[in-house]
Amino acid sequence: MQLYNTLSAEERAQLIDEAGKQRLTLSFYAYAKIEDPKKFRDDLFIAWNALDALGRIYVAHEGINAQMSVPADHLEEFRNTLEVYDFMKGIRLNVAVEQDDHSFLKLTIKVRNKIVADGLNDETFDVTNKGIHLKAQEFNTLLEDPNTIVVDFRNHYESEVGHFEGAITPDVETFRESLPIINEQLQDFKEDKNLLMYCTGGIRCEKASAYFKHQGFKNVFQLEGGIIEYARQVKEDGVESKFIGKNFVFDHRLGERITDDIISQCHQCGKPCDNHTNCANDACHLLFIQCDDCKAVMENCCSTECLEITHLPAAEQLKLRKGLQVGNKVFRKGKSDALTFKNSGDLPDKPLAKVSSKNIRQKISVKKLLIGKAEHYYTKSKIAQFLIENSGLSVGDKVLISGPTTGEQELTLTEIFVEGSSSATAKVGDQITFELPFRVRLSDKLYKILG
């Protein structure tokens, strides 16, 4: 029986578009004792694959952690697959504030030693002995108490773009790093302070709350459902948001806006910005904050070195990264000597420094401008669909379509359609289509040739 994906991300995206059905991005977790994680994994794959449920899921002896995309019309059937297990009956599903039908394009369920790596080897530690759960308004009330210490148990690149006012935000890249750091900082407050904690969906601070109770802290509380559930209650129940900025999420969106505050800055020029980018160089994939101007000039790259590499033929790029392990580092970096502005998180009182984007590019001459990305290719009609993300585009413009598999293809636009209607021009945010004799893929980029 099939227990693995048989479709590429591109093929899956095409099927989703052709189906034309709404999908829901959601997450959930549960700590429990699972005797046979491998069988549990296989049973879930069979059930969810039949419902066209996609996502990234980890299972272990200690429970399950899932971020998923589920067809809206299969939601109840999906819930039923969870209800089969006693420890998931009535489980809360954290539904994303912003929806994207392409948030996940594969069903990946992996068996891990732990669903949240904690670096602990203490057999007396009971992860189910957790702190008190608080809803949004309760969390806000305790947040205002001067006897409260609030801790963000996410990584630096997450808290950098959004966090609760007054929170301790550890400068760490993994959850396991934060536990000993916070424990050492708060040793003198075990008896008399409220220890209030939060994370994205609740799974990390649930383990953290159990850990700090195990360490002897008396008054331990956590935000129920994490920032995702908090944002929903803010929106639906009219609760005041004490969270400022954007909530980082681990799918291709890289963030959901909670408030209009921008508390971080472009790592390349210093302008206020909270949009993350994965460096376009496949041998790097550095996660960093990049404004639209730098994105256009640097073509989604973190450095001139990476930019030069992306201009090389695909075969030469592959040769350069041979033997490098880069796939699992996409979300683990966020800092580099190539980035000038690496300390974000709270904008300073004085204006941020302004740096000309011309200086960023250094010796690289601008011959093409990144305009957008491929979204779909209709094979029967040979129509390509792109999303315009930078600058504008007009009939008569020379463009370049580039990608690892597609290579580099130049052409002149003789006709473009914006939202299905013929148009002489297209602007940022427009979804455009035009005839193309070759297939484009989701990784392909659209450039306008300059000069």
Side-chain angles (χ1 to χ4, degrees), residues 1-6 12 37-55 57 59 68 81 85 106-110:
M1 183 173 290
Q2 176 193 326
L3 296 176
Y4 55 89
N5 288 279
T6 59
R12 179 73 69 177
K38 175 62 168 59
K39 182 179 185 304
F40 180 59
R41 177 265 175 207
D42 292 348
D43 290 344
L44 290 180
F45 192 101
I46 293 169
W48 291 348
N49 188 53
L51 298 177
D52 193 27
L54 308 172
I57 302 96
V59 299
M68 303 188 67
T81 66
Y85 304 94
K106 289 187 177 181
L107 177 59
T108 304
I109 310 178
K110 295 184 177 180

PDB file of all heavy atoms in Angstrom, residues 1-6 12 37-55 57 59 68 81 85 106-110:
ATOM      1  N   MET A   1       0.836  -1.195   0.000  1.00  0.00           N
ATOM      2  CA  MET A   1       0.000   0.000   0.000  1.00  0.00           C
ATOM      3  C   MET A   1       0.871   1.245   0.000  1.00  0.00           C
ATOM      4  O   MET A   1       1.922   1.281   0.637  1.00  0.00           O
ATOM      5  CB  MET A   1      -0.914   0.000   1.229  1.00  0.00           C
ATOM      6  CG  MET A   1      -1.874   1.176   1.281  1.00  0.00           C
ATOM      7  SD  MET A   1      -3.078   1.020   2.635  1.00  0.00           S
ATOM      8  CE  MET A   1      -4.086  -0.343   2.020  1.00  0.00           C
ATOM      9  N   GLN A   2       0.443   2.283  -0.748  1.00  0.00           N
ATOM     10  CA  GLN A   2       1.220   3.506  -0.882  1.00  0.00           C
ATOM     11  C   GLN A   2       1.303   4.260   0.441  1.00  0.00           C
ATOM     12  O   GLN A   2       0.305   4.659   1.005  1.00  0.00           O
ATOM     13  CB  GLN A   2       0.580   4.405  -1.935  1.00  0.00           C
ATOM     14  CG  GLN A   2       1.258   5.751  -2.084  1.00  0.00           C
ATOM     15  CD  GLN A   2       0.421   6.708  -2.885  1.00  0.00           C
ATOM     16  OE1 GLN A   2      -0.275   6.301  -3.804  1.00  0.00           O
ATOM     17  NE2 GLN A   2       0.480   7.983  -2.541  1.00  0.00           N
ATOM     18  N   LEU A   3       2.531   4.478   0.921  1.00  0.00           N
ATOM     19  CA  LEU A   3       2.737   5.207   2.166  1.00  0.00           C
ATOM     20  C   LEU A   3       3.728   6.348   1.968  1.00  0.00           C
ATOM     21  O   LEU A   3       4.458   6.718   2.882  1.00  0.00           O
ATOM     22  CB  LEU A   3       3.241   4.256   3.257  1.00  0.00           C
ATOM     23  CG  LEU A   3       2.277   3.144   3.680  1.00  0.00           C
ATOM     24  CD1 LEU A   3       2.932   2.227   4.689  1.00  0.00           C
ATOM     25  CD2 LEU A   3       1.004   3.746   4.263  1.00  0.00           C
ATOM     26  N   TYR A   4       3.747   6.895   0.751  1.00  0.00           N
ATOM     27  CA  TYR A   4       4.655   7.988   0.431  1.00  0.00           C
ATOM     28  C   TYR A   4       4.036   8.831  -0.679  1.00  0.00           C
ATOM     29  O   TYR A   4       3.076   8.428  -1.343  1.00  0.00           O
ATOM     30  CB  TYR A   4       6.014   7.440  -0.016  1.00  0.00           C
ATOM     31  CG  TYR A   4       5.912   6.457  -1.172  1.00  0.00           C
ATOM     32  CD1 TYR A   4       5.946   6.904  -2.495  1.00  0.00           C
ATOM     33  CD2 TYR A   4       5.760   5.092  -0.938  1.00  0.00           C
ATOM     34  CE1 TYR A   4       5.836   6.014  -3.546  1.00  0.00           C
ATOM     35  CE2 TYR A   4       5.643   4.187  -1.992  1.00  0.00           C
ATOM     36  CZ  TYR A   4       5.686   4.660  -3.289  1.00  0.00           C
ATOM     37  OH  TYR A   4       5.565   3.783  -4.327  1.00  0.00           O
ATOM     38  N   ASN A   5       4.587  10.016  -0.900  1.00  0.00           N
ATOM     39  CA  ASN A   5       4.091  10.912  -1.944  1.00  0.00           C
ATOM     40  C   ASN A   5       4.526  10.423  -3.319  1.00  0.00           C
ATOM     41  O   ASN A   5       5.659   9.981  -3.498  1.00  0.00           O
ATOM     42  CB  ASN A   5       4.637  12.327  -1.729  1.00  0.00           C
ATOM     43  CG  ASN A   5       3.997  13.009  -0.539  1.00  0.00           C
ATOM     44  OD1 ASN A   5       2.900  13.546  -0.638  1.00  0.00           O
ATOM     45  ND2 ASN A   5       4.675  12.969   0.593  1.00  0.00           N
ATOM     46  N   THR A   6       3.639  10.529  -4.286  1.00  0.00           N
ATOM     47  CA  THR A   6       3.976  10.148  -5.656  1.00  0.00           C
ATOM     48  C   THR A   6       3.948  11.342  -6.595  1.00  0.00           C
ATOM     49  O   THR A   6       4.314  11.225  -7.758  1.00  0.00           O
ATOM     50  CB  THR A   6       2.995   9.079  -6.172  1.00  0.00           C
ATOM     51  OG1 THR A   6       1.654   9.603  -6.112  1.00  0.00           O
ATOM     52  CG2 THR A   6       3.090   7.808  -5.346  1.00  0.00           C
ATOM     53  N   ARG A  12       1.133  18.670  -7.571  1.00  0.00           N
ATOM     54  CA  ARG A  12       0.113  18.805  -6.526  1.00  0.00           C
ATOM     55  C   ARG A  12      -0.547  20.174  -6.597  1.00  0.00           C
ATOM     56  O   ARG A  12      -1.762  20.299  -6.469  1.00  0.00           O
ATOM     57  CB  ARG A  12       0.757  18.609  -5.153  1.00  0.00           C
ATOM     58  CG  ARG A  12      -0.209  18.753  -3.994  1.00  0.00           C
ATOM     59  CD  ARG A  12      -1.153  17.595  -3.875  1.00  0.00           C
ATOM     60  NE  ARG A  12      -0.457  16.391  -3.459  1.00  0.00           N
ATOM     61  CZ  ARG A  12      -1.065  15.227  -3.216  1.00  0.00           C
ATOM     62  NH1 ARG A  12      -2.368  15.122  -3.373  1.00  0.00           N
ATOM     63  NH2 ARG A  12      -0.366  14.168  -2.845  1.00  0.00           N
ATOM     64  N   PRO A  37       5.195   4.281  17.325  1.00  0.00           N
ATOM     65  CA  PRO A  37       5.107   5.466  16.465  1.00  0.00           C
ATOM     66  C   PRO A  37       5.094   5.134  14.973  1.00  0.00           C
ATOM     67  O   PRO A  37       4.441   5.822  14.192  1.00  0.00           O
ATOM     68  CB  PRO A  37       6.365   6.259  16.839  1.00  0.00           C
ATOM     69  CG  PRO A  37       6.713   5.804  18.206  1.00  0.00           C
ATOM     70  CD  PRO A  37       6.342   4.354  18.241  1.00  0.00           C
ATOM     71  N   LYS A  38       5.811   4.075  14.562  1.00  0.00           N
ATOM     72  CA  LYS A  38       5.864   3.706  13.145  1.00  0.00           C
ATOM     73  C   LYS A  38       4.489   3.286  12.650  1.00  0.00           C
ATOM     74  O   LYS A  38       4.021   3.731  11.579  1.00  0.00           O
ATOM     75  CB  LYS A  38       6.863   2.570  12.946  1.00  0.00           C
ATOM     76  CG  LYS A  38       6.922   1.999  11.524  1.00  0.00           C
ATOM     77  CD  LYS A  38       7.352   3.030  10.504  1.00  0.00           C
ATOM     78  CE  LYS A  38       7.679   2.390   9.159  1.00  0.00           C
ATOM     79  NZ  LYS A  38       6.547   1.644   8.561  1.00  0.00           N
ATOM     80  N   LYS A  39       3.787   2.431  13.381  1.00  0.00           N
ATOM     81  CA  LYS A  39       2.444   2.008  12.978  1.00  0.00           C
ATOM     82  C   LYS A  39       1.482   3.198  13.026  1.00  0.00           C
ATOM     83  O   LYS A  39       0.640   3.370  12.139  1.00  0.00           O
ATOM     84  CB  LYS A  39       1.925   0.894  13.884  1.00  0.00           C
ATOM     85  CG  LYS A  39       0.535   0.380  13.491  1.00  0.00           C
ATOM     86  CD  LYS A  39       0.066  -0.727  14.402  1.00  0.00           C
ATOM     87  CE  LYS A  39      -1.265  -1.308  13.924  1.00  0.00           C
ATOM     88  NZ  LYS A  39      -2.311  -0.271  13.788  1.00  0.00           N
ATOM     89  N   PHE A  40       1.617   4.021  14.048  1.00  0.00           N
ATOM     90  CA  PHE A  40       0.793   5.222  14.185  1.00  0.00           C
ATOM     91  C   PHE A  40       0.989   6.127  12.971  1.00  0.00           C
ATOM     92  O   PHE A  40       0.023   6.623  12.381  1.00  0.00           O
ATOM     93  CB  PHE A  40       1.197   5.951  15.467  1.00  0.00           C
ATOM     94  CG  PHE A  40       0.429   7.215  15.741  1.00  0.00           C
ATOM     95  CD1 PHE A  40      -0.942   7.212  15.887  1.00  0.00           C
ATOM     96  CD2 PHE A  40       1.114   8.428  15.880  1.00  0.00           C
ATOM     97  CE1 PHE A  40      -1.640   8.392  16.156  1.00  0.00           C
ATOM     98  CE2 PHE A  40       0.438   9.594  16.155  1.00  0.00           C
ATOM     99  CZ  PHE A  40      -0.946   9.587  16.289  1.00  0.00           C
ATOM    100  N   ARG A  41       2.235   6.283  12.555  1.00  0.00           N
ATOM    101  CA  ARG A  41       2.549   7.103  11.384  1.00  0.00           C
ATOM    102  C   ARG A  41       1.893   6.544  10.131  1.00  0.00           C
ATOM    103  O   ARG A  41       1.275   7.269   9.354  1.00  0.00           O
ATOM    104  CB  ARG A  41       4.073   7.167  11.222  1.00  0.00           C
ATOM    105  CG  ARG A  41       4.546   7.945   9.994  1.00  0.00           C
ATOM    106  CD  ARG A  41       4.817   7.042   8.812  1.00  0.00           C
ATOM    107  NE  ARG A  41       5.158   7.837   7.643  1.00  0.00           N
ATOM    108  CZ  ARG A  41       4.959   7.459   6.401  1.00  0.00           C
ATOM    109  NH1 ARG A  41       4.406   6.280   6.136  1.00  0.00           N
ATOM    110  NH2 ARG A  41       5.290   8.237   5.394  1.00  0.00           N
ATOM    111  N   ASP A  42       2.023   5.235   9.908  1.00  0.00           N
ATOM    112  CA  ASP A  42       1.480   4.608   8.703  1.00  0.00           C
ATOM    113  C   ASP A  42      -0.046   4.699   8.667  1.00  0.00           C
ATOM    114  O   ASP A  42      -0.648   4.963   7.611  1.00  0.00           O
ATOM    115  CB  ASP A  42       1.920   3.153   8.615  1.00  0.00           C
ATOM    116  CG  ASP A  42       3.416   3.008   8.362  1.00  0.00           C
ATOM    117  OD1 ASP A  42       4.061   4.023   8.033  1.00  0.00           O
ATOM    118  OD2 ASP A  42       3.938   1.889   8.517  1.00  0.00           O
ATOM    119  N   ASP A  43      -0.683   4.488   9.804  1.00  0.00           N
ATOM    120  CA  ASP A  43      -2.148   4.573   9.862  1.00  0.00           C
ATOM    121  C   ASP A  43      -2.626   5.984   9.529  1.00  0.00           C
ATOM    122  O   ASP A  43      -3.628   6.172   8.822  1.00  0.00           O
ATOM    123  CB  ASP A  43      -2.656   4.167  11.249  1.00  0.00           C
ATOM    124  CG  ASP A  43      -2.476   2.684  11.522  1.00  0.00           C
ATOM    125  OD1 ASP A  43      -2.252   1.928  10.555  1.00  0.00           O
ATOM    126  OD2 ASP A  43      -2.558   2.279  12.700  1.00  0.00           O
ATOM    127  N   LEU A  44      -1.911   6.983  10.038  1.00  0.00           N
ATOM    128  CA  LEU A  44      -2.279   8.376   9.750  1.00  0.00           C
ATOM    129  C   LEU A  44      -2.095   8.687   8.271  1.00  0.00           C
ATOM    130  O   LEU A  44      -2.938   9.351   7.660  1.00  0.00           O
ATOM    131  CB  LEU A  44      -1.434   9.337  10.592  1.00  0.00           C
ATOM    132  CG  LEU A  44      -1.704   9.373  12.095  1.00  0.00           C
ATOM    133  CD1 LEU A  44      -0.770  10.381  12.762  1.00  0.00           C
ATOM    134  CD2 LEU A  44      -3.159   9.726  12.395  1.00  0.00           C
ATOM    135  N   PHE A  45      -0.996   8.209   7.693  1.00  0.00           N
ATOM    136  CA  PHE A  45      -0.742   8.496   6.280  1.00  0.00           C
ATOM    137  C   PHE A  45      -1.856   7.932   5.410  1.00  0.00           C
ATOM    138  O   PHE A  45      -2.350   8.615   4.501  1.00  0.00           O
ATOM    139  CB  PHE A  45       0.611   7.922   5.844  1.00  0.00           C
ATOM    140  CG  PHE A  45       1.062   8.434   4.504  1.00  0.00           C
ATOM    141  CD1 PHE A  45       2.006   9.450   4.433  1.00  0.00           C
ATOM    142  CD2 PHE A  45       0.531   7.928   3.324  1.00  0.00           C
ATOM    143  CE1 PHE A  45       2.414   9.949   3.199  1.00  0.00           C
ATOM    144  CE2 PHE A  45       0.921   8.419   2.094  1.00  0.00           C
ATOM    145  CZ  PHE A  45       1.876   9.437   2.025  1.00  0.00           C
ATOM    146  N   ILE A  46      -2.272   6.713   5.664  1.00  0.00           N
ATOM    147  CA  ILE A  46      -3.342   6.092   4.869  1.00  0.00           C
ATOM    148  C   ILE A  46      -4.634   6.890   4.996  1.00  0.00           C
ATOM    149  O   ILE A  46      -5.315   7.177   3.993  1.00  0.00           O
ATOM    150  CB  ILE A  46      -3.560   4.633   5.316  1.00  0.00           C
ATOM    151  CG1 ILE A  46      -2.326   3.781   4.966  1.00  0.00           C
ATOM    152  CG2 ILE A  46      -4.806   4.043   4.674  1.00  0.00           C
ATOM    153  CD1 ILE A  46      -2.326   2.410   5.585  1.00  0.00           C
ATOM    154  N   ALA A  47      -4.989   7.269   6.221  1.00  0.00           N
ATOM    155  CA  ALA A  47      -6.242   7.999   6.453  1.00  0.00           C
ATOM    156  C   ALA A  47      -6.203   9.390   5.840  1.00  0.00           C
ATOM    157  O   ALA A  47      -7.169   9.836   5.208  1.00  0.00           O
ATOM    158  CB  ALA A  47      -6.517   8.090   7.954  1.00  0.00           C
ATOM    159  N   TRP A  48      -5.089  10.106   5.999  1.00  0.00           N
ATOM    160  CA  TRP A  48      -5.015  11.490   5.538  1.00  0.00           C
ATOM    161  C   TRP A  48      -4.783  11.586   4.041  1.00  0.00           C
ATOM    162  O   TRP A  48      -5.266  12.508   3.391  1.00  0.00           O
ATOM    163  CB  TRP A  48      -3.918  12.224   6.305  1.00  0.00           C
ATOM    164  CG  TRP A  48      -4.275  12.435   7.745  1.00  0.00           C
ATOM    165  CD1 TRP A  48      -5.496  12.262   8.317  1.00  0.00           C
ATOM    166  CD2 TRP A  48      -3.400  12.833   8.795  1.00  0.00           C
ATOM    167  NE1 TRP A  48      -5.445  12.539   9.669  1.00  0.00           N
ATOM    168  CE2 TRP A  48      -4.169  12.897   9.984  1.00  0.00           C
ATOM    169  CE3 TRP A  48      -2.051  13.158   8.863  1.00  0.00           C
ATOM    170  CZ2 TRP A  48      -3.627  13.267  11.208  1.00  0.00           C
ATOM    171  CZ3 TRP A  48      -1.503  13.523  10.074  1.00  0.00           C
ATOM    172  CH2 TRP A  48      -2.283  13.586  11.240  1.00  0.00           C
ATOM    173  N   ASN A  49      -4.056  10.651   3.481  1.00  0.00           N
ATOM    174  CA  ASN A  49      -3.833  10.656   2.042  1.00  0.00           C
ATOM    175  C   ASN A  49      -5.157  10.496   1.301  1.00  0.00           C
ATOM    176  O   ASN A  49      -5.377  11.110   0.243  1.00  0.00           O
ATOM    177  CB  ASN A  49      -2.872   9.531   1.663  1.00  0.00           C
ATOM    178  CG  ASN A  49      -2.433   9.600   0.211  1.00  0.00           C
ATOM    179  OD1 ASN A  49      -1.960  10.628  -0.261  1.00  0.00           O
ATOM    180  ND2 ASN A  49      -2.596   8.503  -0.511  1.00  0.00           N
ATOM    181  N   ALA A  50      -6.060   9.716   1.864  1.00  0.00           N
ATOM    182  CA  ALA A  50      -7.378   9.513   1.249  1.00  0.00           C
ATOM    183  C   ALA A  50      -8.223  10.787   1.262  1.00  0.00           C
ATOM    184  O   ALA A  50      -9.124  10.943   0.434  1.00  0.00           O
ATOM    185  CB  ALA A  50      -8.123   8.398   1.979  1.00  0.00           C
ATOM    186  N   LEU A  51      -7.925  11.702   2.180  1.00  0.00           N
ATOM    187  CA  LEU A  51      -8.683  12.957   2.293  1.00  0.00           C
ATOM    188  C   LEU A  51      -7.979  14.118   1.604  1.00  0.00           C
ATOM    189  O   LEU A  51      -8.438  15.265   1.699  1.00  0.00           O
ATOM    190  CB  LEU A  51      -8.898  13.301   3.778  1.00  0.00           C
ATOM    191  CG  LEU A  51      -9.704  12.309   4.608  1.00  0.00           C
ATOM    192  CD1 LEU A  51      -9.752  12.756   6.062  1.00  0.00           C
ATOM    193  CD2 LEU A  51     -11.109  12.166   4.042  1.00  0.00           C
ATOM    194  N   ASP A  52      -6.865  13.835   0.916  1.00  0.00           N
ATOM    195  CA  ASP A  52      -6.063  14.882   0.278  1.00  0.00           C
ATOM    196  C   ASP A  52      -5.560  15.889   1.306  1.00  0.00           C
ATOM    197  O   ASP A  52      -5.459  17.086   1.041  1.00  0.00           O
ATOM    198  CB  ASP A  52      -6.872  15.603  -0.816  1.00  0.00           C
ATOM    199  CG  ASP A  52      -5.985  16.465  -1.712  1.00  0.00           C
ATOM    200  OD1 ASP A  52      -4.800  16.134  -1.840  1.00  0.00           O
ATOM    201  OD2 ASP A  52      -6.489  17.472  -2.251  1.00  0.00           O
ATOM    202  N   ALA A  53      -5.279  15.414   2.507  1.00  0.00           N
ATOM    203  CA  ALA A  53      -4.692  16.263   3.549  1.00  0.00           C
ATOM    204  C   ALA A  53      -3.178  16.277   3.366  1.00  0.00           C
ATOM    205  O   ALA A  53      -2.565  15.233   3.151  1.00  0.00           O
ATOM    206  CB  ALA A  53      -5.057  15.735   4.933  1.00  0.00           C
ATOM    207  N   LEU A  54      -2.588  17.455   3.435  1.00  0.00           N
ATOM    208  CA  LEU A  54      -1.157  17.618   3.215  1.00  0.00           C
ATOM    209  C   LEU A  54      -0.534  18.276   4.431  1.00  0.00           C
ATOM    210  O   LEU A  54      -1.234  18.857   5.255  1.00  0.00           O
ATOM    211  CB  LEU A  54      -0.913  18.486   1.970  1.00  0.00           C
ATOM    212  CG  LEU A  54      -1.642  18.057   0.696  1.00  0.00           C
ATOM    213  CD1 LEU A  54      -1.476  19.106  -0.383  1.00  0.00           C
ATOM    214  CD2 LEU A  54      -1.125  16.708   0.215  1.00  0.00           C
ATOM    215  N   GLY A  55       0.788  18.195   4.552  1.00  0.00           N
ATOM    216  CA  GLY A  55       1.413  18.886   5.667  1.00  0.00           C
ATOM    217  C   GLY A  55       2.722  18.274   6.098  1.00  0.00           C
ATOM    218  O   GLY A  55       3.238  17.326   5.492  1.00  0.00           O
ATOM    219  N   ILE A  57       4.350  16.622   9.469  1.00  0.00           N
ATOM    220  CA  ILE A  57       3.929  16.047  10.747  1.00  0.00           C
ATOM    221  C   ILE A  57       5.073  15.236  11.344  1.00  0.00           C
ATOM    222  O   ILE A  57       5.753  14.484  10.637  1.00  0.00           O
ATOM    223  CB  ILE A  57       2.689  15.122  10.557  1.00  0.00           C
ATOM    224  CG1 ILE A  57       1.537  15.902   9.942  1.00  0.00           C
ATOM    225  CG2 ILE A  57       2.263  14.505  11.880  1.00  0.00           C
ATOM    226  CD1 ILE A  57       1.431  15.775   8.438  1.00  0.00           C
ATOM    227  N   VAL A  59       5.880  12.509  14.550  1.00  0.00           N
ATOM    228  CA  VAL A  59       5.325  11.659  15.599  1.00  0.00           C
ATOM    229  C   VAL A  59       6.481  11.002  16.358  1.00  0.00           C
ATOM    230  O   VAL A  59       7.560  10.777  15.803  1.00  0.00           O
ATOM    231  CB  VAL A  59       4.375  10.578  15.031  1.00  0.00           C
ATOM    232  CG1 VAL A  59       3.189  11.212  14.329  1.00  0.00           C
ATOM    233  CG2 VAL A  59       5.112   9.645  14.075  1.00  0.00           C
ATOM    234  N   MET A  68      -0.663  21.504   8.879  1.00  0.00           N
ATOM    235  CA  MET A  68      -1.301  20.851   7.745  1.00  0.00           C
ATOM    236  C   MET A  68      -2.156  21.773   6.892  1.00  0.00           C
ATOM    237  O   MET A  68      -2.511  22.879   7.304  1.00  0.00           O
ATOM    238  CB  MET A  68      -2.161  19.683   8.249  1.00  0.00           C
ATOM    239  CG  MET A  68      -1.400  18.658   9.056  1.00  0.00           C
ATOM    240  SD  MET A  68      -2.362  17.191   9.443  1.00  0.00           S
ATOM    241  CE  MET A  68      -2.568  16.469   7.804  1.00  0.00           C
ATOM    242  N   THR A  81     -10.721  11.268  11.902  1.00  0.00           N
ATOM    243  CA  THR A  81      -9.501  10.444  11.917  1.00  0.00           C
ATOM    244  C   THR A  81      -8.707  10.670  13.198  1.00  0.00           C
ATOM    245  O   THR A  81      -7.927   9.804  13.610  1.00  0.00           O
ATOM    246  CB  THR A  81      -8.603  10.755  10.703  1.00  0.00           C
ATOM    247  OG1 THR A  81      -8.096  12.096  10.787  1.00  0.00           O
ATOM    248  CG2 THR A  81      -9.362  10.572   9.400  1.00  0.00           C
ATOM    249  N   TYR A  85      -8.361   8.176  18.248  1.00  0.00           N
ATOM    250  CA  TYR A  85      -7.378   8.041  19.331  1.00  0.00           C
ATOM    251  C   TYR A  85      -7.847   8.808  20.563  1.00  0.00           C
ATOM    252  O   TYR A  85      -8.181   9.997  20.479  1.00  0.00           O
ATOM    253  CB  TYR A  85      -6.019   8.569  18.860  1.00  0.00           C
ATOM    254  CG  TYR A  85      -5.540   7.894  17.596  1.00  0.00           C
ATOM    255  CD1 TYR A  85      -5.800   8.450  16.340  1.00  0.00           C
ATOM    256  CD2 TYR A  85      -4.852   6.688  17.652  1.00  0.00           C
ATOM    257  CE1 TYR A  85      -5.378   7.826  15.177  1.00  0.00           C
ATOM    258  CE2 TYR A  85      -4.416   6.047  16.503  1.00  0.00           C
ATOM    259  CZ  TYR A  85      -4.684   6.619  15.259  1.00  0.00           C
ATOM    260  OH  TYR A  85      -4.271   5.992  14.121  1.00  0.00           O
ATOM    261  N   LYS A 106       2.848  18.629   0.066  1.00  0.00           N
ATOM    262  CA  LYS A 106       3.154  17.209   0.235  1.00  0.00           C
ATOM    263  C   LYS A 106       2.653  16.758   1.600  1.00  0.00           C
ATOM    264  O   LYS A 106       2.501  17.579   2.514  1.00  0.00           O
ATOM    265  CB  LYS A 106       4.653  16.939   0.120  1.00  0.00           C
ATOM    266  CG  LYS A 106       5.206  17.078  -1.295  1.00  0.00           C
ATOM    267  CD  LYS A 106       6.651  16.630  -1.359  1.00  0.00           C
ATOM    268  CE  LYS A 106       7.185  16.709  -2.788  1.00  0.00           C
ATOM    269  NZ  LYS A 106       8.593  16.241  -2.884  1.00  0.00           N
ATOM    270  N   LEU A 107       2.411  15.479   1.726  1.00  0.00           N
ATOM    271  CA  LEU A 107       2.083  14.896   3.023  1.00  0.00           C
ATOM    272  C   LEU A 107       3.334  14.187   3.528  1.00  0.00           C
ATOM    273  O   LEU A 107       3.730  13.150   2.992  1.00  0.00           O
ATOM    274  CB  LEU A 107       0.912  13.915   2.904  1.00  0.00           C
ATOM    275  CG  LEU A 107       0.521  13.180   4.191  1.00  0.00           C
ATOM    276  CD1 LEU A 107       0.143  14.168   5.296  1.00  0.00           C
ATOM    277  CD2 LEU A 107      -0.638  12.207   3.931  1.00  0.00           C
ATOM    278  N   THR A 108       3.958  14.779   4.530  1.00  0.00           N
ATOM    279  CA  THR A 108       5.192  14.237   5.081  1.00  0.00           C
ATOM    280  C   THR A 108       4.996  13.945   6.559  1.00  0.00           C
ATOM    281  O   THR A 108       4.774  14.864   7.355  1.00  0.00           O
ATOM    282  CB  THR A 108       6.359  15.231   4.916  1.00  0.00           C
ATOM    283  OG1 THR A 108       6.488  15.566   3.525  1.00  0.00           O
ATOM    284  CG2 THR A 108       7.651  14.627   5.414  1.00  0.00           C
ATOM    285  N   ILE A 109       5.043  12.671   6.927  1.00  0.00           N
ATOM    286  CA  ILE A 109       4.915  12.265   8.326  1.00  0.00           C
ATOM    287  C   ILE A 109       6.180  11.516   8.709  1.00  0.00           C
ATOM    288  O   ILE A 109       6.487  10.469   8.140  1.00  0.00           O
ATOM    289  CB  ILE A 109       3.681  11.358   8.550  1.00  0.00           C
ATOM    290  CG1 ILE A 109       2.423  11.969   7.942  1.00  0.00           C
ATOM    291  CG2 ILE A 109       3.469  11.113  10.044  1.00  0.00           C
ATOM    292  CD1 ILE A 109       1.173  11.099   8.073  1.00  0.00           C
ATOM    293  N   LYS A 110       6.917  12.080   9.663  1.00  0.00           N
ATOM    294  CA  LYS A 110       8.202  11.489  10.046  1.00  0.00           C
ATOM    295  C   LYS A 110       8.177  11.038  11.501  1.00  0.00           C
ATOM    296  O   LYS A 110       7.613  11.700  12.364  1.00  0.00           O
ATOM    297  CB  LYS A 110       9.326  12.506   9.850  1.00  0.00           C
ATOM    298  CG  LYS A 110       9.548  12.886   8.397  1.00  0.00           C
ATOM    299  CD  LYS A 110      10.738  13.817   8.245  1.00  0.00           C
ATOM    300  CE  LYS A 110      10.995  14.146   6.787  1.00  0.00           C
ATOM    301  NZ  LYS A 110      12.171  15.052   6.629  1.00  0.00           N
TER     302      LYS A 110
END
